Amino acid sequence: MKFTLSWLKEHLDTNESLDRIAESLTAIGLEIENITDPAARYAAFKVAFVESAERHPDADRLQVLRVKTETETLQVVCGAPNARAGMKGIFAPIGATIPGLENMELKKGVIRGVESCGMMASERELELSDEHKGIIEVDEKWPVGTPMAEVFGLNDPVIEIAVTPNRADCAGVRGVARDLAAAGLGTLKPLDDSPAHHSFPSPLDVMIVDNAGCPQFLGRFIRNVKNGPSPDWIQNRLKAIGMNPKSALVDITNYVSYDLCRPLHVFDADRLDGDITVRAAKDGEHFTALDEEEYALKEGMTLICDDSRILALGGVMGGLDSGCDAETTNVFLEVAYFDPARIARTGRDTGILSDARYRFERGVDPAFLHRATEIATRMILKICGGEASEIVAAGAEALWKRTIDFDPAFTKEL
């Protein structure tokens, strides 16, 4: 489980140092595996200004740039199609280690007869994403010489802890913060779970046939959304823990999963055929998941279906042909609880490793569905716009309360 220090402090009001927090995490059973400072990794990379860009005299696809850094102006040969005079990007100086090029040390070179003193870097070369069609462009507001880590929000220590199977509550940042607050390292901040505004009845309904596999399912239709890139603050936190941002809708579900240990799923509602039914799989059925792999299903696996096909392997992974993309305008939000033992068995049988499986098979909070639905809805409305329907629900809260006989006198004897 990874999170950044600032992310933790979104939930924990504390003035304790990073070292003190790390000591306390290990002391309460959330053993520190690693603490990294990405700012140190990217210390050599800074904002630079392209003063001019001229065609290479001996190569049509190359340009010779004059790049102004915080200390000097250098000549750089660049093949990126988006390189141009007047832009700002991220400059890698001679001697820098390029992480996306197998940690190659950058040296002064001569490219087709022209000297090149450094490079303007792409996102893939700096392991920010898989994007490599062009070099990074940064906003004009960033002064020349600004460390790249500051631009991309990477000046935030990343903490990695080992979460034992019995601590599902700490597979979310808020759970970790709650434990630290209980240990006296600060105060747990209140969680804003106020209801989202809803203005129409849901055009889709939900029915559960497999109550043993899925005791409760909440859904909400959200129309007229715009699924563009997610805000920088979400992207930066996801990147910091090793996840590649996809789109606003997908990033929101991933963020809530890591933030609150509450896996979610959003379906492209325009790709659905009728209402949602949760049922058990039959031997011989097949399903193509978001990872583009086809899986042979076994009896007992829990499926999310519409009137004509399987939409998702419940609690494990969504389907390829019902997922959201850049063209999505209407979505159906799934917030469900799945039986941990059923998820664990399904995960072993399919071999699928997913963040949802990791959390559901350990047992997420069965009493958090309504609050999570409101939180996720408000995030979608704020970031993607649109209008939300009322919540539709099926099933009931999974049984989790226990009565335990406790005899203080016996404790005294011990």
Side-chain angles (χ1 to χ4, degrees), residues 127-156:
E127 293 189 341
L128 297 176
S129 74
D130 292 329
E131 178 58 49
H132 65 285
K133 293 179 181 179
I135 56 176
I136 297 170
E137 297 188 49
V138 301
D139 194 279
E140 180 64 30
K141 69 179 181 181
W142 297 106
V144 170
T146 303
M148 174 199 140
E150 183 177 340
V151 175
F152 287 94
L154 298 173
N155 50 353
D156 194 5

Side-chain angles (χ1 to χ4, degrees), residues 197-200 220-225 329-331 377 380-381 384-390:
H197 177 71
H198 61 275
S199 56
F200 63 97
R220 173 170 259 162
F221 194 99
I222 306 174
R223 65 191 181 194
N224 300 326
V225 299
T329 56
N330 300 304
V331 299
T377 302
I380 291 172
L381 295 179
C384 303
E387 301 173 86
S389 77
E390 63 187 5

Side-chain angles (χ1 to χ4, degrees), residues 52-73:
S52 65
E54 299 179 358
R55 201 177 82 174
H56 190 289
D58 196 30
D60 291 341
R61 295 188 179 183
L62 298 178
Q63 296 187 82
V64 181
L65 313 180
R66 284 183 59 80
V67 178
K68 181 181 179 181
T69 71
E70 61 184 329
T71 58
E72 57 187 330
T73 299

Side-chain angles (χ1 to χ4, degrees), residues 241-312:
I241 62 173
M243 299 188 72
N244 289 329
K246 303 293 185 184
S247 68
L249 290 168
V250 175
D251 293 351
I252 288 169
T253 62
N254 286 333
Y255 184 84
V256 174
S257 182
Y258 274 84
D259 188 49
L260 303 174
C261 191
R262 171 22 73 182
L264 310 167
H265 191 68
V266 281
F267 298 102
D268 186 323
D270 294 327
R271 298 181 179 182
L272 305 186
D273 178 21
D275 293 334
I276 301 295
T277 300
V278 184
R279 65 171 176 84
K282 303 171 185 175
D283 283 333
E285 288 188 287
H286 288 78
F287 166 68
T288 302
L290 282 169
D291 61 4
E292 301 184 8
E293 296 289 333
E294 184 176 304
Y295 295 94
L297 306 181
K298 294 184 179 180
E299 186 175 348
M301 295 179 179
T302 300
L303 306 179
I304 312 298
C305 306
D306 61 11
D307 288 347
S308 60
R309 69 196 191 288
I310 300 169
L311 303 174

Side-chain angles (χ1 to χ4, degrees), residues 40-360:
R41 183 189 191 201
Y42 292 115
F45 306 99
K46 298 181 180 181
V47 174
F49 177 71
V50 180
E51 292 185 335
S52 65
E54 299 179 358
R55 201 177 82 174
H56 190 289
D58 196 30
D60 291 341
R61 295 188 179 183
L62 298 178
Q63 296 187 82
V64 181
L65 313 180
R66 284 183 59 80
V67 178
K68 181 181 179 181
T69 71
E70 61 184 329
T71 58
E72 57 187 330
T73 299
L74 299 168
Q75 179 172 277
V76 175
V77 177
C78 181
N82 65 328
R84 65 190 184 280
M87 70 173 290
K88 286 183 177 179
I90 302 299
F91 176 71
I94 300 302
T97 299
I98 312 300
L101 298 177
E102 299 181 345
N103 290 321
M104 176 194 77
E105 182 180 333
L106 189 61
K107 298 179 180 179
K108 183 184 292 187
V110 177
I111 302 175
R112 303 290 287 268
V114 176
E115 186 177 69
S116 185
C117 303
M119 66 180 285
M120 300 298 289
S122 70
E123 291 197 4
R124 187 166 75 173
E125 287 162 344
L126 298 183
E127 293 189 341
L128 297 176
S129 74
D130 292 329
E131 178 58 49
H132 65 285
K133 293 179 181 179
I135 56 176
I136 297 170
E137 297 188 49
V138 301
D139 194 279
E140 180 64 30
K141 69 179 181 181
W142 297 106
V144 170
T146 303
M148 174 199 140
E150 183 177 340
V151 175
F152 287 94
L154 298 173
N155 50 353
D156 194 5
V158 179
I159 303 167
E160 183 174 6
I161 59 173
V163 179
T164 52
N166 65 314
R167 293 307 307 272
D169 58 307
C170 289
V173 180
R174 186 167 181 83
V176 177
R178 183 189 298 113
D179 233 25
L180 286 171
L185 257 74
T187 304
L188 188 67
K189 296 179 181 180
L191 185 63
D192 182 4
D193 57 359
S194 54
H197 177 71
H198 61 275
S199 56
F200 63 97
S202 173
L204 297 177
D205 205 353
V206 176
M207 178 176 66
I208 299 176
V209 178
D210 181 18
N211 290 91
C214 178
Q216 189 174 24
F217 188 116
L218 305 186
R220 173 170 259 162
F221 194 99
I222 306 174
R223 65 191 181 194
N224 300 326
V225 299
K226 183 177 180 180
N227 190 25
S230 59
D232 288 345
W233 66 270
I234 290 183
Q235 292 197 39
N236 290 342
R237 284 184 174 170
L238 293 179
K239 288 176 181 178
I241 62 173
M243 299 188 72
N244 289 329
K246 303 293 185 184
S247 68
L249 290 168
V250 175
D251 293 351
I252 288 169
T253 62
N254 286 333
Y255 184 84
V256 174
S257 182
Y258 274 84
D259 188 49
L260 303 174
C261 191
R262 171 22 73 182
L264 310 167
H265 191 68
V266 281
F267 298 102
D268 186 323
D270 294 327
R271 298 181 179 182
L272 305 186
D273 178 21
D275 293 334
I276 301 295
T277 300
V278 184
R279 65 171 176 84
K282 303 171 185 175
D283 283 333
E285 288 188 287
H286 288 78
F287 166 68
T288 302
L290 282 169
D291 61 4
E292 301 184 8
E293 296 289 333
E294 184 176 304
Y295 295 94
L297 306 181
K298 294 184 179 180
E299 186 175 348
M301 295 179 179
T302 300
L303 306 179
I304 312 298
C305 306
D306 61 11
D307 288 347
S308 60
R309 69 196 191 288
I310 300 169
L311 303 174
L313 191 53
V316 179
M317 188 172 284
L320 183 62
D321 62 353
S322 60
C324 297
D325 58 25
E327 305 303 316
T328 297
T329 56
N330 300 304
V331 299
F332 189 74
L333 172 67
E334 168 204 311
V335 185
Y337 181 83
F338 298 96
D339 176 67
R342 185 80 69 86
I343 296 301
R345 187 165 62 249
T346 298
R348 286 194 300 269
D349 289 344
T350 60
I352 296 176
L353 299 174
S354 68
D355 290 328
R357 173 196 166 183
Y358 178 86
R359 287 160 177 78
F360 278 124

Side-chain angles (χ1 to χ4, degrees), residues 12-46:
L12 182 69
D13 188 357
T14 183
N15 294 318
E16 297 289 352
S17 67
L18 176 61
D19 288 343
R20 177 78 176 102
I21 290 171
E23 290 172 5
S24 297
L25 284 168
T26 296
I28 61 179
L30 302 173
E31 185 178 357
I32 291 287
E33 292 197 321
N34 194 26
I35 296 179
T36 58
D37 183 2
R41 183 189 191 201
Y42 292 115
F45 306 99
K46 298 181 180 181

